[in-house]
Amino acid sequence: MSDYDFSAPRLFVQAAIAAGEAIALDKAQANYLGNVLRLSSGDGVLIFNGRDGEWLARVEQGGRRVAGLMPEKQTRPQPPGPDLLCLFAPLKHARLDYMVQKAVEMGASVLAPVLTRRTQVSRVNLERMEANAVEAAEQCGILAIPAVREPARLDDALARLEPGRLLVFCDEGAPVANAVAALAQAREEGAHAGIAVLIGPEGGFDEAERDLILARPDTVRLSLGPRILRADTAAVAALAVVQAVLGDWCGNEAASG
């Protein structure tokens, strides 16, 4: 295998990665490499842990089974961490899985469930969210794994945002306007200490919540067009336009990773 092969299997590991220091695999990982991918001793795998960049490692076998991996050399250094928070009202299982995966692909650094008055799902499986985040990173060559926060009430989530962080409030009740222009204006008004995108529940925000959000400084209210979008679609659309205007799609390293 060459120094870098985009078709090579990728695997997230918890352990620190260093050349010549073997990494043990858990049963599920060993089964995946040996029985699903049918790799054998000496085959190459690209591994990452969210801290030490990406490495080429070779499969090591113990008897007939994959036992571990031996890192050989770094193929990509760890990039600067992204600074793009995705705040969202929890969704039902399949749609939440989709939204988490796409948010990771779009460069979110934090996934933060927010409980609003019209949120339809009160329990969130954080382990499932984390597993979906890792899977998306493995499939798409992403090296930074987003943090997954415990669900919080809207007022607490807003209070946790740092002063100066730009909050992009996606509001289905906002007058339809040019979303790109609205974000460009926020960019022209000065640099911000990171970005947060807020997506509401299927029923939208109520007026009291809307007032609470808009009372926060450094908040831009955004329309996502003339059509009502499902919450998972709205998250992808919002993250795309934010990355295009303020983030790493336009070379802004503050939101890259």
Side-chain angles (χ1 to χ4, degrees), residues 221-245:
R221 187 183 186 195
L222 204 67
S223 166
L224 294 176
R227 289 167 292 280
I228 298 297
L229 304 179
R230 296 195 334 178
D232 48 344
T233 307
V236 177
L239 290 168
V241 72
V242 165
Q243 287 286 43
V245 180

Side-chain angles (χ1 to χ4, degrees), residues 98-163:
Y98 171 86
M99 197 211 71
V100 167
Q101 292 165 4
K102 300 311 168 188
V104 174
E105 292 177 36
M106 298 301 299
S109 59
V110 173
L111 302 172
V114 176
L115 303 178
T116 69
R117 289 186 174 90
R118 295 173 181 166
T119 298
Q120 297 178 357
V121 177
S122 58
R123 294 184 179 181
V124 182
N125 187 331
L126 298 181
E127 290 186 1
R128 181 167 174 156
M129 284 181 59
E130 290 169 349
N132 273 290
V134 167
E135 181 179 352
E138 288 176 336
Q139 292 178 351
C140 297
I142 296 167
L143 300 185
I145 303 294
V148 175
R149 290 182 180 173
E150 293 278 350
R153 296 187 318 176
L154 176 63
D155 54 347
D156 292 332
L158 293 175
R160 186 173 180 176
L161 295 177
E162 307 90 330

Side-chain angles (χ1 to χ4, degrees), residues 79-83 109 144 253-257:
D83 194 3
S109 59
E253 294 184 358
S256 66

Side-chain angles (χ1 to χ4, degrees), residues 39-132:
L39 300 182
S40 58
S41 183
D43 287 339
V45 180
L46 295 172
I47 60 174
F48 67 106
N49 61 8
R51 306 181 301 277
D52 298 321
E54 182 182 72
W55 288 71
L56 170 64
R58 300 292 178 183
V59 170
E60 294 189 323
Q61 285 189 263
R64 297 184 179 180
R65 298 183 179 181
V66 171
L69 296 169
M70 180 61 71
E72 289 188 347
K73 55 187 173 183
Q74 190 182 68
T75 54
R76 285 192 289 165
Q78 188 69 29
D83 194 3
L84 176 59
L85 280 58
C86 181
L87 283 60
F88 59 92
L91 304 170
K92 294 181 180 179
H93 291 309
R95 292 173 60 194
L96 179 58
D97 292 348
Y98 171 86
M99 197 211 71
V100 167
Q101 292 165 4
K102 300 311 168 188
V104 174
E105 292 177 36
M106 298 301 299
S109 59
V110 173
L111 302 172
V114 176
L115 303 178
T116 69
R117 289 186 174 90
R118 295 173 181 166
T119 298
Q120 297 178 357
V121 177
S122 58
R123 294 184 179 181
V124 182
N125 187 331
L126 298 181
E127 290 186 1
R128 181 167 174 156
M129 284 181 59
E130 290 169 349
N132 273 290

Side-chain angles (χ1 to χ4, degrees), residues 6-50:
F6 283 99
S7 67
R10 301 182 75 252
L11 188 71
F12 174 77
V13 298
Q14 295 285 355
I17 306 173
E21 297 187 9
I23 295 175
L25 298 175
D26 60 34
K27 185 177 180 180
Q29 290 175 319
N31 178 69
Y32 174 69
L33 294 181
N35 297 325
V36 178
L37 297 183
R38 297 190 177 280
L39 300 182
S40 58
S41 183
D43 287 339
V45 180
L46 295 172
I47 60 174
F48 67 106
N49 61 8

